[in-house]
Amino acid sequence: MSSAVELTVRPCPECGTEVRADRRFVAWCTDCGWNVDPEEPEEPVSRLVARRRRLAREHGERLLAEVSSGASLLPRRDAAGVLAYTLALAVHAVTAVLLVAGVLLVVLGWGSALPALGLLLLVLAWVLRPRLDRLPTDTPVLLRRDAPELFALIDEVVTAVGTTPVHAVAVTADFNAAVTTYGLRQRRLLILGLALWGPASPQVRLALLGHELGHYANGDTRQGIVLSNALRSLANWYYLLTGEEDPTYLERFANLAYAGPRLLVGMVLRLLDRLTLRTTQRGEYLADAFAARVGSTEAALALMDRLLIGRVAESFLRREANTPLVRKAGSGSRDDRWQGLWERLAAQLESVPDTEYERLRRVSVLRAHSVDSTHPPTHLRRVCLGVGAPLDAGVQPPALREAAVTGELAAAKERIARAIVKGE
């Protein structure tokens, strides 16, 4: 910890133990737990999110119990998976029916009001259509020819987890990483958030790559084009059928007409969500196992800890974005605060004391903290990583590659840093 950090010293009001704390973080007692979680409980943004969190906790606990008893987490086709695909295909069939009916009404209904109804059905089919993701245009995208050493590192991890290579890497400012697909041929895209990737150690980066690429290897069905688009279509249906909050007299009748279909759509959405959520939990545990296999169990646990301080990174980047531009009077010189942004972020994260990590671990248990509403609680993922003997790193890239990868990311880091300090 930096010598410039101010410490406060006070007795614990509960047990009298001396509490030494960094002024930037919460003062709490490691002995009795006083003030370990002083913030108000976070309210879920919707009932669906609240339900997902509850189910995530329940499924996470059951799957952890299975792992602890020696059961395998390898994905398998079961009745829930078959039913989920059947429901998803039925959702897409409704969209196809709307498309065909709309075309027929427009073509065959001339001379009546039917073409207007047909156009409405076509608009609905367009809104509800399955979508193919595209490469992002608002952030740097690297192809193999742009970053051969980065892709060589990724290829080593790909080999270790037993999957196929990625086609592109999108670089963002986020404290996050993800994998997805794009285009008709469903090419693979790895998304690297610099706020998470940049300050991490080489072994934690390997664990991160192992986790994300592990999602491809374990066949996460919820990320597939059929199920993901069905969930998206149902969410769009639910939104379209939502009545006006402050309706007029006529709008009340429309709200009544929407009530039945909206209830039906909500039931199907919740059912499909429930059928796929357990598979999603299983996929996260498996991805964590790949992280340990690639980067080591120690690195995978360090990655879990790093995820707990995401708010520190996000707060830092917000402050950088909101700092007024400083220019010398009359000089018109360009603001250069983007220089050293990622180094300052790394220093900020490195200065987080061990006591704050320990506090956040305890809070994650109390609140069942998770990365999002579809992930198992973080503390359960930590426990799952501790089952069995610790693993050493399965990938050991050459030391020179680290500098080469950093150089290949330099242009993307500069572009994103400039955008942050300009508030873009």
Side-chain angles (χ1 to χ4, degrees):
M1 188 185 300
S2 171
S3 59
V5 172
E6 293 187 46
L7 296 178
T8 62
V9 181
R10 58 179 294 186
C12 171
E14 295 292 335
C15 67
T17 300
E18 182 180 81
V19 175
R20 302 172 64 86
D22 185 326
R23 285 186 180 276
R24 299 171 300 163
F25 301 101
V26 174
W28 66 288
C29 180
T30 58
D31 286 357
C32 70
W34 166 79
N35 206 41
V36 68
D37 186 15
E39 298 181 9
E40 292 294 324
E42 180 182 354
E43 294 295 330
V45 296
S46 68
R47 285 187 296 178
L48 178 62
V49 170
R51 183 175 173 278
R52 277 180 177 171
R53 289 178 179 173
R54 177 177 57 81
L55 288 175
R57 184 170 61 253
E58 293 175 0
H59 290 321
E61 290 171 349
R62 293 194 191 103
L63 288 169
L64 177 59
E66 291 179 18
V67 175
S68 300
S69 66
S72 173
L73 277 175
L74 292 177
R76 55 181 180 271
R77 188 177 297 278
D78 54 15
V82 173
L83 181 55
Y85 265 102
T86 303
L87 278 176
L89 291 174
V91 170
H92 296 312
V94 171
T95 304
V97 168
L98 289 175
L99 175 63
V100 173
V103 171
L104 291 175
L105 288 173
V106 170
V107 172
L108 303 177
W110 288 112
S112 67
L114 292 180
L117 177 59
L119 288 174
L120 176 61
L121 295 182
L122 289 176
V123 169
L124 285 175
W126 175 259
V127 172
L128 301 170
R129 74 192 186 283
R131 289 169 172 79
L132 297 174
D133 291 331
R134 301 177 180 179
L135 281 176
T137 58
D138 58 346
T139 197
V141 175
L142 303 176
L143 302 179
R144 189 170 291 271
R145 63 177 178 271
D146 305 316
E149 289 300 321
L150 173 61
F151 275 83
L153 175 63
I154 294 170
D155 287 344
E156 288 195 39
V157 178
V158 162
T159 301
V161 302
T163 186
T164 56
V166 301
H167 300 89
V169 176
V171 185
T172 71
D174 301 331
F175 191 85
N176 194 16
V179 289
T180 185
T181 56
Y182 66 93
L184 187 61
R185 298 172 65 182
Q186 292 293 278
R187 291 182 176 274
R188 293 182 167 187
L189 173 67
L190 171 66
I191 302 171
L192 288 181
L194 290 176
L196 179 58
W197 172 270
S201 69
Q203 287 307 120
V204 171
R205 290 177 181 175
L206 284 172
L208 178 62
L209 290 176
H211 177 96
E212 297 304 335
L213 296 171
H215 282 298
Y216 288 135
N218 65 39
D220 286 352
T221 57
R222 192 167 177 139
Q223 293 186 355
I225 188 172
V226 174
L227 281 168
S228 63
N229 273 287
L231 288 164
R232 182 185 297 171
S233 292
L234 286 168
N236 287 335
W237 268 117
Y238 198 77
Y239 173 77
L240 291 172
L241 294 170
T242 299
E244 298 292 333
E245 292 185 1
D246 188 17
T248 64
Y249 184 77
L250 292 177
E251 288 171 342
R252 291 177 185 175
F253 289 99
N255 286 356
L256 288 174
Y258 292 158
R262 184 171 183 265
L263 178 63
L264 177 61
V265 170
M267 290 173 59
V268 176
L269 177 58
R270 288 190 293 272
L271 177 58
L272 188 56
D273 197 60
R274 186 182 187 94
L275 289 171
T276 56
L277 194 55
R278 177 180 171 85
T279 303
T280 302
Q281 310 293 296
R282 186 186 298 274
E284 289 300 329
Y285 281 132
L286 280 168
D288 289 339
F290 281 119
R293 184 190 304 178
V294 171
S296 78
T297 299
E298 181 182 2
L301 289 170
L303 176 60
M304 295 288 177
D305 280 344
R306 185 53 62 99
L307 294 176
L308 293 175
I309 61 170
R311 291 173 63 178
V312 176
E314 291 162 359
S315 296
F316 171 84
L317 293 178
R318 279 196 299 270
R319 287 196 303 272
E320 291 289 325
N322 293 331
T323 300
L325 296 180
V326 179
R327 300 176 185 273
K328 295 180 180 179
S331 69
S333 61
R334 186 179 66 179
D335 177 73
D336 60 356
R337 286 182 302 112
W338 66 269
Q339 297 183 11
L341 173 70
W342 303 115
E343 289 76 13
R344 296 196 299 274
L345 172 61
Q348 180 80 1
L349 296 182
E350 286 303 313
S351 72
V352 176
D354 292 340
T355 53
E356 179 65 6
Y357 279 109
E358 176 59 27
R359 185 186 75 84
L360 292 172
R361 292 187 200 108
R362 296 194 189 189
V363 172
S364 74
V365 176
L366 294 173
R367 295 196 178 200
H369 164 276
S370 60
V371 174
D372 62 31
S373 61
T374 65
H375 282 60
T378 303
H379 73 280
L380 296 182
R381 294 169 64 187
R382 290 182 62 88
V383 174
C384 189
L385 281 170
V387 175
L391 299 176
D392 295 327
V395 175
Q396 296 287 352
L400 292 177
R401 179 170 292 161
E402 185 69 20
V405 170
T406 299
E408 291 172 348
L409 290 172
K413 292 168 71 174
E414 176 179 340
R415 173 180 164 184
I416 294 173
R418 287 180 181 274
I420 289 172
V421 300
K422 291 179 180 179
E424 297 175 358

